[in-house]
Amino acid sequence: NPCISRICVIGAGYVGGPTAAVLALHNPSVRVEVLDKDQGRITRWNSGHLPIHEPGLNDIVRLTRDGALTNDPAAGSNLISRRDPNLFFTSDTAGSIGAADMILLAVNTPTKKSGVGAGRATNMTALDGAVKDVALYAKAGAVIVEKSTVPCGTAQRIRQTLGSLRPGVSFEILSNPEFLSEGTAIKDLLNPDRVIIGSAESSSGQVAADLLANLYTAWIPRNQILQINAWSSELSKLVANAMLAQRISSINSISAICEATGANVNEVAKSIGLDARIGPQFLKAGIGFGGSCFRKDIASLTYLAESLGLDEVAEYWSQVNSLNVSQRRRFARRILRRYNENLAGKKIAMLGFAFKKNTGDARESPAVDVIKNLLDEQPAEIAIFDPYCNEEDILREISNCGPADDASTPSRVKIYSDPYQACADANAVLVINDCDQFRNTMREPRMDSAIAAASKLDRTFSDECISELGALSLISERGSQSLQGIDYVAGLRVELKPIPVCPKDCPDCKSR
Ligand code: NAD
């Protein structure tokens, strides 16, 4: 890029890290620095063990940060590619911001926990802090880009802050919301459906937007880059997440009707998804959406509507979050009903903790609400296995939301690094996400007999009959995705100790 030679990305998180890596990959002549106040996170980005798990991220970082991609980095052999490093991770605030032609703000914007708008409004502390650093150190004329998801009007707020802290110096503020999904961040960044750039409608605003667009055209066709005004851009991000979450809550609301009738939610989802106007995406019934974005972005949209006096609009969108919470509660109640609301002495295993597969992000996992409900019934143990989440993060999420005053919580919740150990002697196994590891195990030849047994269990026996079998009850409301999970879980049981599979015409089953 002829005009931008140094970029500073503030915030080395799930968005800042992968975005910077892909920008650096496709703009080898631009020096991209990722700045974070969290020195521990920067150290990990500079190490062989990146702080976040995203398929494809390691290779891009090795190429752009280390300048070489090898088959075996430990041995330094089998070199595949070499280039000059142009991706750097740093905690040097003044140096990194001061040298940048363009500064991307990718800091966290969670929901406020207290004060005006608590539970709905956006906590702007991190963003305001970053903007203050920009005001202190940025060179005149640097282009400031909002990558974080922010309330509408934030570009204006940043402009005012910079105007008062750096009077007489002009900065252009762009909105460039990120639409990547965790678990597929690199794929999404490499092949986005679209890139949105919002700017002031002045000629200098257009010039700044073009500078950013030029960085993207290194790998994205120009006609996929939409240049609009900053308000529309900020609002588009909130609306995109609200619409996606709304589809999940809609199909989950239908799953409740299906369970109370003879309908099958997967059949309903398939039937409606074949309608080209509706489409099949985001129509999988499950235990509800999680992760750090959907709930908070809907809360932010709700707060915006409320502040504009649009109460019906606020009420409409807040229902998407309410339904989501009630779906998790319904799932937990179903488990409790199976045990007559008494989990004393029971071990409940959970496969998966992250809100979706292929991420280690434990934030706002739907499992937390389920665990909270189960812990109230004092089970002997909740055994959790997730291939990517680390133990600290899981326990922090549970203690953030769980019954904090219950001193026995830590001893009741155990994190396992082996799924078989987690499920050993469990009374129930809950499949929380659609992690590939659960499915791939199914493909192993040694699982064949397990699958056969599982499908028999699944189709032949009523819930009661399964629990009567003793060691394991299989509970899931996750539709076709989790049917595979159920097979796997049953497979686990066969792996752990052969089960006496109830014969098809078992007199006990027939008499029920
Ligand atoms: P994150 O919490 O993983 O990372 C944010 C980082 O910013 C942290 O490492 C924090 O230490 C750092 N930080 C905060 N204030 C700082 C400051 N003043 N100076 C330097 N570093 C600072 O957050 P995330 O998940 O990457 O999300 C970032 C933004 O992107 C949020 O607004 C989020 O809504 C949005 N977003 C997230 C996703 C996602 O899937 N996670 C997707 C799209 C958009």
Side-chain angles (χ1 to χ4, degrees):
N1 189 297
C3 303
I4 301 289
S5 59
R6 285 179 83 127
I7 295 177
C8 169
V9 178
I10 308 184
Y14 289 86
V15 167
T19 306
V22 171
L23 271 172
L25 177 73
H26 284 290
N27 292 277
S29 61
V30 178
R31 181 183 171 100
V32 181
E33 292 191 1
V34 190
L35 167 71
D36 207 295
K37 285 195 183 313
D38 181 341
Q39 181 56 54
R41 221 167 191 188
I42 290 299
T43 304
R44 289 186 67 197
W45 276 109
N46 279 322
S47 76
H49 299 280
L50 305 185
I52 65 173
H53 171 83
E54 279 297 337
L57 178 63
N58 271 340
D59 282 348
I60 296 179
V61 169
R62 272 158 51 201
L63 192 59
T64 51
R65 181 196 68 184
D66 304 341
L69 183 57
T70 59
N71 265 345
D72 181 359
S77 62
N78 300 325
L79 195 68
I80 298 170
S81 189
R82 184 186 283 288
R83 56 182 256 171
D84 287 337
N86 67 326
L87 177 66
F88 302 86
F89 295 91
T90 177
S91 50
D92 173 11
T93 305
S96 188
I97 293 179
D101 308 308
M102 182 174 274
I103 299 159
L104 272 60
L105 304 170
V107 300
N108 40 318
T109 51
T111 304
K112 272 179 93 171
K113 287 196 171 146
S114 59
V116 178
R120 294 168 342 279
T122 303
N123 178 339
M124 300 291 276
T125 310
L127 193 106
D128 286 344
V131 171
K132 276 194 189 122
D133 287 339
V134 169
L136 269 178
Y137 304 116
K139 60 185 182 193
V143 176
I144 317 301
V145 183
E146 300 166 353
K147 258 278 155 220
S148 300
T149 305
V150 290
C152 295
T154 300
Q156 181 61 21
R157 174 187 175 120
I158 295 175
R159 188 168 291 112
Q160 280 163 358
T161 307
L162 294 179
S164 65
L165 296 176
R166 286 282 291 277
V169 180
S170 83
F171 293 100
E172 281 305 322
I173 322 294
L174 302 177
S175 158
N176 174 220
E178 186 46 65
F179 295 96
L180 66 78
S181 298
E182 284 179 29
T184 53
I186 296 301
K187 192 169 139 269
D188 298 340
L189 286 163
L190 291 174
N191 303 294
D193 291 336
R194 75 315 201 181
V195 169
I196 305 290
I197 300 176
S199 65
E201 284 162 336
S202 58
S203 58
S204 54
Q206 292 303 311
V207 169
D210 286 343
L211 285 176
L212 180 58
N214 286 345
L215 291 169
Y216 283 113
T217 50
W219 79 100
I220 297 163
R222 184 89 206 192
N223 63 4
Q224 278 175 244
I225 301 171
L226 192 61
Q227 290 182 217
I228 57 179
N229 83 40
W231 263 81
S232 309
S233 173
E234 290 166 345
L235 186 57
S236 299
K237 173 62 193 177
L238 296 182
V239 175
N241 273 356
M243 296 287 273
L244 291 170
Q246 180 261 110
R247 280 174 70 99
I248 298 175
S249 277
S250 295
I251 197 67
N252 281 342
S253 75
I254 301 305
S255 77
I257 295 181
C258 290
E259 281 159 31
T261 61
N264 175 325
V265 71
N266 299 313
E267 291 175 356
V268 175
K270 187 161 185 192
S271 311
I272 62 167
L274 287 169
D275 185 327
R277 294 167 304 174
I278 297 175
Q281 304 270 21
F282 278 71
L283 283 184
K284 287 214 168 73
I287 60 170
F289 54 81
S292 64
C293 293
F294 281 3
R295 189 209 49 77
K296 85 164 165 82
D297 292 349
I298 289 174
S300 174
L301 186 63
T302 305
Y303 187 66
L304 173 68
E306 258 176 40
S307 4
L308 297 170
L310 303 169
D311 292 346
E312 292 83 2
V313 179
E315 176 62 14
Y316 175 77
W317 287 109
S318 72
Q319 278 304 311
V320 175
N321 274 342
S322 309
L323 198 288
N324 195 48
V325 173
S326 77
Q327 182 78 350
R328 298 170 183 181
R329 207 177 299 133
R330 223 162 52 75
F331 179 70
R333 285 216 188 108
R334 228 172 112 105
I335 300 159
L336 293 175
R337 265 204 310 277
R338 188 80 64 85
Y339 295 102
N340 297 322
E341 277 80 35
N342 179 6
L343 291 184
K346 300 281 190 280
K347 172 179 175 180
I348 313 286
M350 282 190 163
L351 293 182
F353 183 86
F355 69 105
K356 64 196 288 199
K357 70 175 182 182
N358 286 343
T359 177
D361 190 353
R363 292 178 291 184
E364 303 219 19
S365 160
V368 172
D369 268 346
V370 176
I371 291 170
K372 214 163 52 173
N373 280 279
L374 299 183
L375 280 174
D376 286 344
E377 299 304 328
Q378 310 280 314
E381 182 183 338
I382 295 193
I384 301 171
F385 165 76
D386 188 292
Y388 300 122
C389 290
N390 72 47
E391 180 165 347
E392 269 166 45
D393 291 345
I394 295 178
L395 293 175
R396 188 199 55 236
E397 282 300 305
I398 295 172
S399 65
N400 277 350
C401 309
D405 51 341
D406 181 352
S408 67
T409 297
S411 60
R412 287 178 199 279
V413 177
K414 284 202 185 129
I415 318 297
Y416 288 79
S417 55
D418 177 306
Y420 295 87
Q421 291 292 324
C423 294
D425 300 319
N427 297 88
V429 178
L430 316 183
V431 184
I432 295 297
N433 69 27
D434 53 340
C435 174
D436 288 335
Q437 186 177 343
F438 306 156
R439 290 170 187 216
N440 292 340
T441 311
M442 294 272 299
R443 300 201 186 107
E444 292 174 21
R446 69 192 170 109
M447 298 301 277
D448 282 355
S449 60
I451 293 165
S455 53
K456 208 167 181 188
L457 273 174
D458 191 39
R459 294 197 195 111
T460 316
F461 302 112
S462 64
D463 288 347
E464 292 82 352
C465 194
I466 294 172
S467 21
E468 199 180 67
L469 283 174
L472 184 72
S473 295
L474 306 173
I475 303 169
S476 175
E477 295 180 341
R478 303 205 71 203
S480 56
Q481 260 184 8
S482 62
L483 264 187
Q484 297 184 31
I486 286 177
D487 288 349
Y488 171 69
V489 172
L492 278 180
R493 183 176 180 223
V494 176
E495 271 296 286
L496 295 166
K497 55 182 167 190
I499 44 163
V501 175
C502 207
K504 210 168 187 147
D505 291 323
C506 158
D508 274 352
C509 292
K510 278 182 138 182
S511 66
R512 279 171 190 277

